[in-house]
């Protein structure tokens, strides 16, 4: 139509100032420098943001977006990216109008680390009349990280040196961990998910599935005391050996019932114990161990005072006086008979 803009191409730069986006941030955001490349088509019904760079001092986010006008409002799809930032500062730039509980969980449980290749995907409605106002904001994203300090098993110390990737969407925050340490645990892989963070109806829930390598002493440290609190005896204090463990944990984070559910399965190699049950000295043990709040099961082979034996050990942990059942079997050759003082 005559007098209406049909197409527009815009390139702009600015110096220090501030930008305000009502509905996303409560206060204006200081900006050191801004670069903008944008275009409008179809009588401003279609807007395209080809490049927006905001120098905020400690970070320089980049944004690309496209908007289509419908019934006087723009439906916007945008992607914001950051190459690198201190993850402790993530909460500062997270739009508090959306997924605020997800941001708070990160702030409360992640105390250090570096985020890389950070992506935020945003869908929103924008009212162009007057001051820009964001409505119906939906946000998801992903990042890589390293050097993370992650607190998920309080009151145990937090996991440190964590590396991997994370995603968040619809109130679910998920970590895919490829490296790190939980105390003396050398974490090989771990999946950590927190669900229901933004829901008023669904309960918040934590799930952890990790594999780790460690020694038996480290396993005792984890099993003794809160939050697992299953090892309440010194019966295993003199056991040694190397362990590869898979530990699975589930815990409600809201609601009246917040009991921790967990189970672990471990492969123990080169195990030893000088005062094993039945009075023998156990060495060179190879066992499979399954532990939960209710049951301890050990199966495998060892040398009992030099004799090869098979052991199956069951212990009920649920009762006040744990019941112990043990099955020990050995096939003794002539040399073995002599070693225990029996006639050959």
């Amino acid at each position: 139509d005559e007098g209406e803009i049909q197409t527009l191409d815009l390139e702009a730069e600015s110096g220090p100032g501030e930008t305000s986006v009502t509905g996303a941030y409560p206060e204006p955001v200081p900006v050191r420098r801004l670069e903008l490349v944008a275009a409008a088509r179809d009588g401003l019904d279609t807007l395209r943001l080809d490049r927006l760079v905001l120098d905020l001092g400690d970070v320089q986010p980049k944004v690309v977006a496209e908007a289509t006008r419908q019934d006087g409002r723009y439906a916007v799809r945008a992607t914001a990216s950051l190459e690198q930032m201190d993850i402790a500062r993530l909460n500062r730039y997270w739009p508090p109008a959306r997924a605020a509980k997800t941001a708070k969980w990160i702030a409360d449980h992640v105390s250090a680390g570096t985020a890389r290749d950070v992506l935020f995907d945003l869908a929103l409605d924008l009212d162009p009349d007057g001051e820009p106002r964001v409505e119906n904001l939906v946000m998801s994203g992903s990042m890589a990280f390293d050097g993370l300090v992650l607190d998920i098993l309080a009151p145990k110390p937090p996991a440190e040196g964590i590396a991997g990737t994370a995603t968040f969407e619809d109130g679910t925050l998920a970590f895919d961990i490829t490296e790190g340490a939980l105390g003396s645990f050398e974490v090989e892989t771990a999946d950590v998910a927190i669900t229901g963070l933004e829901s008023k109806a669904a309960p918040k829930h934590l799930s952890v599935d990790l594999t780790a390598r460690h020694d038996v002493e480290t396993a005792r440290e984890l099993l003794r005391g809160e939050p697992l609190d299953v090892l309440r005896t010194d019966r295993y204090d003199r056991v040694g050996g190397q362990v590869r463990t898979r530990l699975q944990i589930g815990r409600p984070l809201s609601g009246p019932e917040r009991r921790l559910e967990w189970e672990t399965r471990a492969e123990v190699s080169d195990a030893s114990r000088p005062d094993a049950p039945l009075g023998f000295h156990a060495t060179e043990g190879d066992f499979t161990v399954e532990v939960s709040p209710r049951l301890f099961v050990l199966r495998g082979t060892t040398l009992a005072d030099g004799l090869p034996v098979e052991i199956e050990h069951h212990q009920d942990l649920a009762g006040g006086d744990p019941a112990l059942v043990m099955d020990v079997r050995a096939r003794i050759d002539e040399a073995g008979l002599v070693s225990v003082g029996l006639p050959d």
Side-chain angles (χ1 to χ4, degrees), residues 216-217 220 235-241 268 271-275:
V216 171
E217 180 179 356
R220 288 195 296 267
R235 181 178 292 142
Y236 305 102
D237 282 2
R238 299 182 69 186
V239 177
V268 184
S272 63
R273 181 173 174 179
D275 56 346

Side-chain angles (χ1 to χ4, degrees), residues 281-312:
H281 179 67
T283 58
E284 299 182 30
D286 290 299
F287 299 103
T288 298
V289 180
E290 299 174 15
V291 189
S292 74
R294 292 164 293 277
L295 188 65
F296 178 99
V297 178
L298 177 148
R299 300 182 182 90
T301 61
T302 188
L303 295 181
D305 291 332
L307 299 178
V309 298
E310 297 179 2
I311 295 178
E312 185 159 333

Side-chain angles (χ1 to χ4, degrees), residues 51-136:
R51 176 179 172 85
L52 172 62
V53 180
L54 299 170
D55 185 349
L56 305 180
D58 54 348
V59 294
Q60 292 80 40
K62 301 175 183 179
V63 183
V64 295
E66 186 166 332
T68 303
R69 182 159 55 184
Q70 299 174 347
D71 300 324
R73 299 157 63 85
Y74 284 103
V76 182
R77 299 291 182 271
T79 298
S81 61
L82 288 166
E83 290 184 1
Q84 182 172 304
M85 71 179 300
D86 183 345
I87 204 165
R89 302 182 68 82
L90 182 64
N91 201 43
R92 176 180 177 182
Y93 298 109
W94 193 295
R98 187 62 187 172
K101 295 178 181 179
T102 301
K104 184 178 185 306
W105 194 95
I106 295 174
D108 290 345
H109 295 84
V110 179
S111 56
T114 300
R116 296 175 284 101
D117 303 326
V118 183
L119 291 177
F120 291 92
D121 293 316
L122 303 102
L124 55 98
D125 293 334
L126 185 64
D127 185 352
D129 296 331
E131 186 176 12
R133 178 176 295 276
V134 171
E135 299 176 352
N136 304 321

Side-chain angles (χ1 to χ4, degrees), residues 14-21 25-35 52-61 89 92-93:
S14 77
E18 58 184 28
T19 182
S20 177
V21 184
Y25 295 95
E27 301 292 336
V29 179
V31 177
R32 292 186 179 183
R33 185 177 59 88
L34 178 149
E35 296 180 15
L52 172 62
V53 180
L54 299 170
D55 185 349
L56 305 180
D58 54 348
V59 294
Q60 292 80 40
R89 302 182 68 82
R92 176 180 177 182
Y93 298 109

Side-chain angles (χ1 to χ4, degrees), residues 221-242:
E221 292 174 3
L222 182 68
L223 295 175
R224 182 170 285 144
E226 296 293 339
L228 303 187
D229 193 28
V230 69
L231 192 60
R232 303 172 186 175
T233 173
D234 61 2
R235 181 178 292 142
Y236 305 102
D237 282 2
R238 299 182 69 186
V239 177
Q242 299 300 311

